[in-house]
Amino acid sequence: MSLDNLPDGLLLEILLHLPLQSVFQCKCLSNRWCSLISTPYFTHRYVSHLHTNLQPFTLLFECKDDQSITRVLATNSDEPELKSLAAYVHRQSEHLWLEASCNDLLLWRSKDDGESSPMSVYYVINPITRQCMALPPITLPYHRSWIQAGQFRVYIVSSNTREWSESKVLCQEGFELTHFALCAVPYKSLLFWCSNSGRLLGIDPYNTRCCRSFEQPIGWELDKETDCFGVCRGYLRICQISMFYTRFSSILRIWELKDYDNEGGGKWYLEHEVSVNQLVSKKSPWLNEHVQQKYPLPLVLAFHPNDGDILYLAIELKVLLCNLRSKTVEVFCDIPHDPDTWNDKCNIINFVLPSWPTPIPFAPLQNGA
Amino acid sequence: MKFCTVKQYFDDENNNNVTNGIATTVIPLPNKHLKIKANNKEMEQYEQELLRNVMPQELTKLILAANYLNFKEALDFFCRTVANAIQNKSVDYVRKFFGLESDFEPGEEEKLCKEFAWSFEGVDED
């Protein structure tokens, strides 16, 4: 009696113990296995069986390589599932600009447009499964970071219609977008943008007349801009590094938006307040000296999607992992080339691998992937 | 309480689901499980031993027995053993291990392997 004689339910029990890649390989065994693995029930069981919430994640950022071509690099390619990701995005960034991400889907724009034609071509790619979908070409006006009082235009394409639609969004006052956040942060079915003054505006992509806004946190320095905005452990977070010139120290503050779901709710709570030059490095004397004596102004790159104590910073040519609870900082990885867009707060994109790869409907494989 | 099903089995002599040989492997498991629950290394060694001495066909019977007896820990253990045995192995190896034949139309298998090429990066050749 061979293992194949086991009923579907027991075969499923075996598959639950396999890593994701092996599960997908098993689709190639026989029709029966392929059907078994392709059901939503299987995906649901598989995802529920995973005991961890800790999804592997990496930061992707752009910098110019030694041929002055802007390429995308990944910070964390030691995770086994993310190993091929770094090489893949590096290859893609030869012809495409990386614009945004949502979990494991990346939005790219073709580098070929600009001078020759006013049309932009966007692609949605899952870099793990290599599925790729081209969006219809669209002519977009030049990115305006200052939103006129009253309204701004939003262009949305939906995976249902696969067509672009344009909507006007009404908002109360002038809203200057942070220069790093031209793409929105998806949160609880809304798309959120953050202004330089720490205010948030969220829009429902299915009904752009519906929006929520939040004022800046108490304690926000009005003459200093937003350093980082994102989602961590299911909450919106905002970060600002303030500078007290008289005391020669910069203070990093992170606020988290709580009570979002309450009626009229949504209040910022100060989660972390750390003086940058109190951070200690246990492994790197160079870093210790730099942080404590040279009053650096680190660039805030991103929040960790799952760990509320971790913040990614950049100083000089290094990405640092900072633990705000233990007040320690360590070098996370090096940046090989000088990203000359660094000073303009270059594009930092989060990539989070969910328990099951996000499928792109009707998307074929990318050629030469 | 794990063995109410076993009692039922012994009472019901027409039952073909569990042979005596299997009963001797599965039934001592809870004791062993309790003894080495805290010690993962020993469990791993026991798992290796099991894989070495037990053919895939035997594993089938063990899984069916554990399922029939409603013995969750044993079922998990055997399933995990099978999963570890086929992880990162080639499609042919897994087919042999499971004793299954490909029932794809010509060209269909190739199409699937191409679609899921990303999952094959880094596979043992056996």
mmCIF file of all heavy atoms in Angstrom, chain B residues 55-69:
data_model
loop_
_atom_site.group_PDB
_atom_site.id
_atom_site.type_symbol
_atom_site.label_atom_id
_atom_site.label_comp_id
_atom_site.label_asym_id
_atom_site.label_seq_id
_atom_site.Cartn_x
_atom_site.Cartn_y
_atom_site.Cartn_z
ATOM 1 N N MET B 55 9.882 1.343 5.539
ATOM 2 C CA MET B 55 9.661 1.678 4.126
ATOM 3 C C MET B 55 8.476 2.621 3.997
ATOM 4 O O MET B 55 7.602 2.628 4.849
ATOM 5 C CB MET B 55 9.347 0.386 3.346
ATOM 6 C CG MET B 55 10.466 -0.613 3.352
ATOM 7 S SD MET B 55 11.934 0.113 2.606
ATOM 8 C CE MET B 55 11.415 0.208 0.906
ATOM 9 N N PRO B 56 8.425 3.381 2.898
ATOM 10 C CA PRO B 56 7.285 4.272 2.711
ATOM 11 C C PRO B 56 5.933 3.576 2.859
ATOM 12 O O PRO B 56 5.000 4.163 3.393
ATOM 13 C CB PRO B 56 7.471 4.792 1.277
ATOM 14 C CG PRO B 56 8.930 4.744 1.059
ATOM 15 C CD PRO B 56 9.436 3.578 1.849
ATOM 16 N N GLN B 57 5.866 2.315 2.422
ATOM 17 C CA GLN B 57 4.567 1.642 2.521
ATOM 18 C C GLN B 57 4.160 1.477 3.978
ATOM 19 O O GLN B 57 2.984 1.583 4.323
ATOM 20 C CB GLN B 57 4.606 0.241 1.879
ATOM 21 C CG GLN B 57 4.844 0.241 0.396
ATOM 22 C CD GLN B 57 6.311 0.160 0.064
ATOM 23 O OE1 GLN B 57 7.138 0.789 0.730
ATOM 24 N NE2 GLN B 57 6.649 -0.612 -0.954
ATOM 25 N N GLU B 58 5.171 1.196 4.801
ATOM 26 C CA GLU B 58 4.884 1.053 6.232
ATOM 27 C C GLU B 58 4.409 2.371 6.800
ATOM 28 O O GLU B 58 3.501 2.437 7.617
ATOM 29 C CB GLU B 58 6.158 0.635 6.992
ATOM 30 C CG GLU B 58 6.730 -0.705 6.573
ATOM 31 C CD GLU B 58 5.866 -1.846 7.079
ATOM 32 O OE1 GLU B 58 5.648 -1.910 8.293
ATOM 33 O OE2 GLU B 58 5.392 -2.642 6.247
ATOM 34 N N LEU B 59 5.041 3.451 6.333
ATOM 35 C CA LEU B 59 4.643 4.778 6.807
ATOM 36 C C LEU B 59 3.169 5.030 6.494
ATOM 37 O O LEU B 59 2.457 5.636 7.284
ATOM 38 C CB LEU B 59 5.502 5.865 6.148
ATOM 39 C CG LEU B 59 6.764 6.255 6.911
ATOM 40 C CD1 LEU B 59 7.560 7.277 6.128
ATOM 41 C CD2 LEU B 59 6.434 6.804 8.275
ATOM 42 N N THR B 60 2.750 4.548 5.316
ATOM 43 C CA THR B 60 1.341 4.715 4.959
ATOM 44 C C THR B 60 0.456 4.097 6.024
ATOM 45 O O THR B 60 -0.489 4.727 6.522
ATOM 46 C CB THR B 60 1.008 4.003 3.628
ATOM 47 O OG1 THR B 60 2.024 4.289 2.694
ATOM 48 C CG2 THR B 60 -0.342 4.435 3.098
ATOM 49 N N LYS B 61 0.798 2.876 6.380
ATOM 50 C CA LYS B 61 -0.030 2.183 7.381
ATOM 51 C C LYS B 61 0.035 2.885 8.726
ATOM 52 O O LYS B 61 -0.963 2.980 9.426
ATOM 53 C CB LYS B 61 0.444 0.732 7.519
ATOM 54 C CG LYS B 61 0.233 -0.073 6.253
ATOM 55 C CD LYS B 61 0.581 -1.536 6.475
ATOM 56 C CE LYS B 61 0.722 -2.236 5.137
ATOM 57 N NZ LYS B 61 1.460 -3.504 5.267
ATOM 58 N N LEU B 62 1.216 3.383 9.061
ATOM 59 C CA LEU B 62 1.359 4.090 10.339
ATOM 60 C C LEU B 62 0.472 5.328 10.371
ATOM 61 O O LEU B 62 -0.175 5.624 11.371
ATOM 62 C CB LEU B 62 2.823 4.503 10.555
ATOM 63 C CG LEU B 62 3.775 3.386 10.970
ATOM 64 C CD1 LEU B 62 5.209 3.882 10.952
ATOM 65 C CD2 LEU B 62 3.429 2.869 12.346
ATOM 66 N N ILE B 63 0.472 6.039 9.258
ATOM 67 C CA ILE B 63 -0.350 7.253 9.199
ATOM 68 C C ILE B 63 -1.827 6.901 9.310
ATOM 69 O O ILE B 63 -2.583 7.527 10.079
ATOM 70 C CB ILE B 63 -0.068 8.050 7.906
ATOM 71 C CG1 ILE B 63 1.340 8.633 7.972
ATOM 72 C CG2 ILE B 63 -1.083 9.168 7.713
ATOM 73 C CD1 ILE B 63 1.752 9.384 6.730
ATOM 74 N N LEU B 64 -2.235 5.880 8.582
ATOM 75 C CA LEU B 64 -3.643 5.479 8.642
ATOM 76 C C LEU B 64 -4.017 5.033 10.046
ATOM 77 O O LEU B 64 -5.087 5.374 10.552
ATOM 78 C CB LEU B 64 -3.913 4.349 7.646
ATOM 79 C CG LEU B 64 -3.996 4.784 6.192
ATOM 80 C CD1 LEU B 64 -4.035 3.576 5.261
ATOM 81 C CD2 LEU B 64 -5.239 5.643 5.961
ATOM 82 N N ALA B 65 -3.102 4.291 10.668
ATOM 83 C CA ALA B 65 -3.381 3.805 12.021
ATOM 84 C C ALA B 65 -3.510 4.973 12.989
ATOM 85 O O ALA B 65 -4.458 5.051 13.772
ATOM 86 C CB ALA B 65 -2.268 2.868 12.469
ATOM 87 N N ALA B 66 -2.545 5.889 12.917
ATOM 88 C CA ALA B 66 -2.576 7.041 13.833
ATOM 89 C C ALA B 66 -3.858 7.840 13.632
ATOM 90 O O ALA B 66 -4.464 8.332 14.584
ATOM 91 C CB ALA B 66 -1.351 7.914 13.604
ATOM 92 N N ASN B 67 -4.281 7.961 12.379
ATOM 93 C CA ASN B 67 -5.497 8.695 12.080
ATOM 94 C C ASN B 67 -6.723 7.970 12.640
ATOM 95 O O ASN B 67 -7.593 8.576 13.267
ATOM 96 C CB ASN B 67 -5.627 8.860 10.560
ATOM 97 C CG ASN B 67 -6.802 9.732 10.189
ATOM 98 O OD1 ASN B 67 -6.993 10.787 10.757
ATOM 99 N ND2 ASN B 67 -7.601 9.273 9.236
ATOM 100 N N TYR B 68 -6.739 6.665 12.427
ATOM 101 C CA TYR B 68 -7.873 5.870 12.899
ATOM 102 C C TYR B 68 -7.981 5.908 14.407
ATOM 103 O O TYR B 68 -9.065 5.988 14.971
ATOM 104 C CB TYR B 68 -7.718 4.437 12.393
ATOM 105 C CG TYR B 68 -8.824 3.528 12.847
ATOM 106 C CD1 TYR B 68 -10.106 3.620 12.310
ATOM 107 C CD2 TYR B 68 -8.585 2.586 13.853
ATOM 108 C CE1 TYR B 68 -11.123 2.797 12.749
ATOM 109 C CE2 TYR B 68 -9.603 1.753 14.290
ATOM 110 C CZ TYR B 68 -10.871 1.855 13.739
ATOM 111 O OH TYR B 68 -11.861 1.033 14.182
ATOM 112 N N LEU B 69 -6.825 5.839 15.067
ATOM 113 C CA LEU B 69 -6.817 5.846 16.530
ATOM 114 C C LEU B 69 -6.991 7.253 17.084
ATOM 115 O O LEU B 69 -6.973 7.441 18.293
ATOM 116 C CB LEU B 69 -5.483 5.265 17.048
ATOM 117 C CG LEU B 69 -5.265 3.789 16.782
ATOM 118 C CD1 LEU B 69 -3.834 3.383 17.149
ATOM 119 C CD2 LEU B 69 -6.251 2.960 17.580
#
